[in-house]
Amino acid sequence: MTPSEFTADAMVRVYLRGRTLPEVLHAAVVWVAEARLSSGRMPVLDQSLRTDIDNQAIAPPTGIGVAAAAERPAVCALLQPAPA
């Protein structure tokens, strides 16, 4: 993977914020973003592309990942009962 492909992939993943795209669609979006990045076209993820991503993105299952951890507050180890 070239540096510009890596950067484009990272930009798409950051924009998705935990959502996913089907593999073929993800590759296509990364290809478009990399082409724009390489040619200097700004913004790389324009409104049209973001709308397309949003329409096809799949939300992560509930109960898995960071969002689920944020919903369940962690109990501080100092507040837990001492082991018997």
Side-chain angles (χ1 to χ4, degrees):
M1 190 180 274
T2 66
S4 61
E5 289 171 333
F6 181 77
T7 302
D9 184 59
M11 290 174 67
V12 171
R13 290 180 189 279
V14 167
Y15 181 74
L16 284 168
R17 298 179 309 273
R19 300 174 296 165
T20 58
L21 290 171
E23 188 175 333
V24 170
L25 187 55
H26 181 88
V29 170
V30 169
W31 180 81
V32 169
E34 193 273 333
R36 291 177 179 181
L37 189 63
S38 295
S39 68
R41 182 173 167 194
M42 294 292 169
V44 174
L45 299 178
D46 65 3
Q47 182 61 46
S48 176
L49 187 55
R50 290 192 314 265
T51 299
D52 291 341
I53 291 170
D54 291 339
N55 287 336
Q56 298 298 320
I58 302 164
T62 57
I64 298 175
V66 177
E71 294 172 4
R72 294 187 318 261
V75 177
C76 175
L78 297 174
L79 300 177
Q80 295 179 355

